[in-house]
Amino acid sequence: MNITKQQIDELNAVVKVAISKEDYQEKVDNILKDYRKQANIPGFRKGQVPIGLIKKQYGKAVLVDEVNKLLQDNLNKYLTEEKLDVLGNPLPKQQDNFNWDNEVLDFEFELGLAPNFDVKLKSKKAITQYKIVADKKMIDEQVERIQKQYGKLVSKTEIGTKDEVTGVFKNEDEEIENKTTIELDKVKSKKAINALVGKKTGETVTLNTKGLFKEDYLLIGSLGIDREKAEKLNIDVIFTIEEINERQPAELDQELFDKLFGKDNVKSEKELKDKIKEDSEKQFEQQSDQKLLNDVTEKLIEDTKFELPAEFLTKWIQVSGENLLTDDQAKEEYDKSEKGLRYQLIEGKIIKDNDLQVQLDELKEFAKGFIKSQMAQYGHLDPKEEELENVANRVLGNQDEVKRLSEQLMSQKLLDLFKEKANLKVKEVSYDNFVKEVYG
């Protein structure tokens, strides 16, 4: 067998493979002999079918199969040994006069080659790195929510402006009948508030659904209807009052602090607010990090210029899926995927240049951290190391999970690298301002 490469240009090449009979004939003959031993053909005893008949029936199929195996194995080996960085897969060139009976079988494959380029992490224009801070308003609101959540309900006979009212919404024409609890401080309509305040259990109130609540989702839950119906709804509903309660806020005392954070971990209102601030900003960091990763990615794609073997890749996309695409479909798919392909190449270059690797021991520690945070969401705040180790071993026994966690860990390594080497300017913002700037 002889394999040679013809360089067309920097991004395209053709590999020629010449296979002679001596490369495959012995293997083909052995397979046909095995076929002869097993063949059941009328008129012949098993194992006594003439080899000529076996070759006539199966010879071409066996030859094609063995040559294709040789091609695949040796072409992959050649690409590895020659350290050719190919995009997609080699594409066989159409040969109109090909003859499987030739003494030497010649094959040609088109290659699309990855471009050579450099990546500069430090851009001329600084990229904004948001630091989201929990401001006083947010912290105070969170304290108020905690006090409300852990407070106690006191039964009342008459509705006040901040009470919780349980009752049934009803409209026969729209087939609405749903028992729910509403909080008056979440009602938007002043007319509705005025109609409710002062009412007693057993009484009914007619309310209009349009603009009833401050948040749209509250109407969906209160009436027991779907989102699509709620968006258009402008009807009167009868609300029958069954129960009235005032939620008295919990005291900010040691009993509440221990319930929230464990015994003696927080000992004062100031420490509570400091803890809320710390936890909130830790959660915000995930959002600001994702924003930074997206912005650096976009900047790298914009600043890192290189050509791609577009014609080859379009042709490869055309034939590589389950169904053959038309020229226009393949071009459209290439245009959609080009940006992603560019970043894959850029990311691979960054990983190689900075020797970023995922080691098994650090992957296990990363998995433990992920597992610990998941446990914390369900109230398990202090798992033992042995417990984390056992869960991590089970998780890492699943190859899909290994792949997913490895990608997350590499993404974290890239983020740390960008924070260290990219041209960043830190901007402190409240969460509300972050949302306005980033999402409009």
Side-chain angles (χ1 to χ4, degrees):
M1 182 181 300
N2 185 39
I3 303 179
T4 58
K5 177 171 71 77
Q6 177 188 356
Q7 194 76 29
I8 306 300
D9 55 39
E10 288 186 359
L11 300 174
N12 295 276
V14 172
V15 169
K16 298 181 179 182
V17 183
I19 299 180
S20 59
K21 279 193 173 183
E22 62 186 29
D23 295 317
Y24 60 79
Q25 195 62 59
E26 183 178 354
K27 187 70 181 288
V28 169
D29 288 343
N30 288 335
I31 292 173
L32 292 175
K33 287 176 184 176
D34 289 338
Y35 276 26
R36 183 179 183 233
K37 292 176 185 176
Q38 304 299 326
N40 285 314
I41 297 178
F44 299 97
R45 291 167 56 194
K46 187 176 181 179
Q48 299 300 315
V49 180
I51 191 66
L53 184 57
I54 295 294
K55 285 182 179 181
K56 185 176 180 180
Q57 286 197 347
Y58 303 107
K60 183 61 68 67
V62 173
L63 167 64
V64 171
D65 189 48
E66 286 306 307
V67 168
N68 282 329
K69 287 179 184 177
L70 276 173
L71 275 173
Q72 184 175 347
D73 293 345
N74 286 277
L75 187 56
N76 289 336
K77 183 179 177 183
Y78 175 81
L79 296 177
T80 302
E81 290 177 348
E82 295 296 316
K83 298 180 181 178
L84 294 176
D85 192 0
V86 299
L87 301 178
N89 291 316
L91 288 178
K93 292 187 71 173
Q94 184 69 35
Q95 295 171 276
D96 295 331
N97 299 320
F98 186 84
N99 187 346
W100 285 99
D101 295 324
N102 287 345
E103 289 294 318
V104 177
L105 302 176
D106 292 311
F107 300 90
E108 294 185 359
F109 294 87
E110 296 178 65
L111 303 182
L113 305 177
N116 290 317
F117 59 91
D118 294 318
V119 179
K120 293 181 180 178
L121 292 177
K122 193 175 285 293
S123 58
K124 290 181 180 179
K125 185 179 179 182
I127 299 169
T128 300
Q129 179 184 3
Y130 289 97
K131 178 176 172 55
I132 307 173
V133 295
D135 56 15
K136 182 178 182 302
K137 176 175 176 286
M138 173 177 280
I139 294 169
D140 288 343
E141 287 175 350
Q142 181 65 10
V143 171
E144 187 178 329
R145 278 196 291 270
I146 290 171
Q147 287 183 277
K148 198 172 183 179
Q149 181 182 350
Y150 289 91
K152 62 180 180 179
L153 291 176
V154 177
S155 180
K156 293 180 64 179
T157 57
E158 187 175 296
I159 299 175
T161 56
K162 294 186 177 180
D163 290 339
E164 297 180 9
V165 185
T166 298
V168 177
F169 278 108
K170 191 170 183 180
N171 181 296
E172 291 184 0
D173 292 341
E174 295 291 335
E175 298 182 341
I176 293 173
E177 185 171 353
N178 192 59
K179 184 173 181 177
T180 188
T181 298
I182 61 174
E183 300 173 42
L184 255 71
D185 59 3
K186 293 181 179 178
V187 174
K188 180 181 180 182
S189 168
K190 290 182 179 179
K191 186 176 180 180
I193 294 171
N194 292 335
L196 286 162
V197 170
K199 291 293 187 291
K200 298 178 180 179
T201 54
E203 294 188 315
T204 60
V205 182
T206 299
L207 304 173
N208 189 270
T209 58
K210 188 172 178 62
L212 181 57
F213 294 104
K214 294 177 181 178
E215 301 290 344
D216 293 339
Y217 74 88
L218 292 171
L219 184 66
I220 296 170
S222 296
L223 301 186
I225 57 178
D226 60 38
R227 179 179 296 276
E228 186 177 353
K229 185 172 183 177
E231 287 174 354
K232 307 171 186 174
L233 205 61
N234 183 6
I235 60 170
D236 288 335
V237 287
I238 304 298
F239 184 61
T240 303
I241 301 161
E242 295 186 351
E243 187 179 339
I244 306 166
N245 291 296
E246 176 188 359
R247 188 175 288 275
Q248 294 183 347
E251 294 292 327
L252 297 176
D253 55 18
Q254 195 59 49
E255 181 182 353
L256 178 62
F257 302 153
D258 289 349
K259 188 180 292 185
L260 291 169
F261 303 107
K263 187 168 177 57
D264 294 334
N265 288 320
V266 170
K267 296 183 180 180
S268 67
E269 184 177 338
K270 181 182 182 305
E271 288 185 16
L272 170 66
K273 291 184 175 180
D274 288 344
K275 180 67 174 169
I276 290 172
K277 180 178 175 66
E278 178 188 345
D279 290 348
S280 297
E281 291 180 355
K282 192 175 291 183
Q283 291 179 1
F284 295 152
E285 191 175 346
Q286 294 178 358
Q287 288 178 266
S288 60
D289 280 351
Q290 188 58 56
K291 170 64 176 167
L292 177 61
L293 196 59
N294 292 343
D295 288 347
V296 173
T297 296
E298 289 294 328
K299 191 63 178 168
L300 286 169
I301 293 172
E302 179 186 333
D303 290 350
T304 309
K305 308 294 185 184
F306 54 81
E307 296 295 322
L308 288 170
E311 186 178 340
F312 169 84
L313 289 170
T314 303
K315 192 185 299 184
W316 175 68
I317 289 171
Q318 187 172 20
V319 301
S320 62
E322 289 184 11
N323 300 312
L324 183 68
L325 302 181
T326 66
D327 291 346
D328 289 342
Q329 288 173 330
K331 177 68 168 60
E332 184 180 351
E333 286 300 313
Y334 172 74
D335 290 341
K336 287 179 184 176
S337 61
E338 182 187 0
K339 191 174 182 180
L341 175 58
R342 285 183 178 278
Y343 187 66
Q344 283 182 21
L345 293 170
I346 292 168
E347 185 182 85
K349 177 74 171 171
I350 293 171
I351 290 170
K352 182 179 179 181
D353 288 351
N354 294 276
D355 194 26
L356 300 182
Q357 300 177 29
V358 173
Q359 305 290 351
L360 181 58
D361 56 346
E362 60 182 355
L363 183 62
K364 179 178 281 192
E365 289 305 310
F366 183 75
K368 287 180 184 178
F370 179 77
I371 294 162
K372 193 172 183 180
S373 66
Q374 292 290 100
M375 288 180 169
Q377 292 181 15
Y378 294 96
H380 193 0
L381 300 175
D382 191 26
K384 294 181 179 179
E385 177 62 24
E386 182 181 356
E387 185 179 4
L388 288 173
E389 182 80 15
N390 289 336
V391 177
N393 285 336
R394 287 200 300 273
V395 169
L396 296 178
N398 183 318
Q399 288 305 308
D400 290 336
E401 285 298 305
V402 170
K403 183 175 184 292
R404 185 177 67 84
L405 289 170
S406 295
E407 288 172 352
Q408 290 182 2
L409 179 53
M410 181 55 74
S411 182
Q412 184 61 52
K413 284 175 175 282
L414 286 165
L415 181 64
D416 293 341
L417 180 70
F418 296 155
K419 286 181 178 180
E420 177 189 348
K421 295 190 175 183
N423 182 12
L424 307 177
K425 60 177 180 182
V426 178
K427 182 176 183 179
E428 286 196 1
V429 291
S430 67
Y431 182 73
D432 288 342
N433 286 336
F434 173 77
V435 171
K436 286 177 185 176
E437 286 194 28
V438 174
Y439 305 108

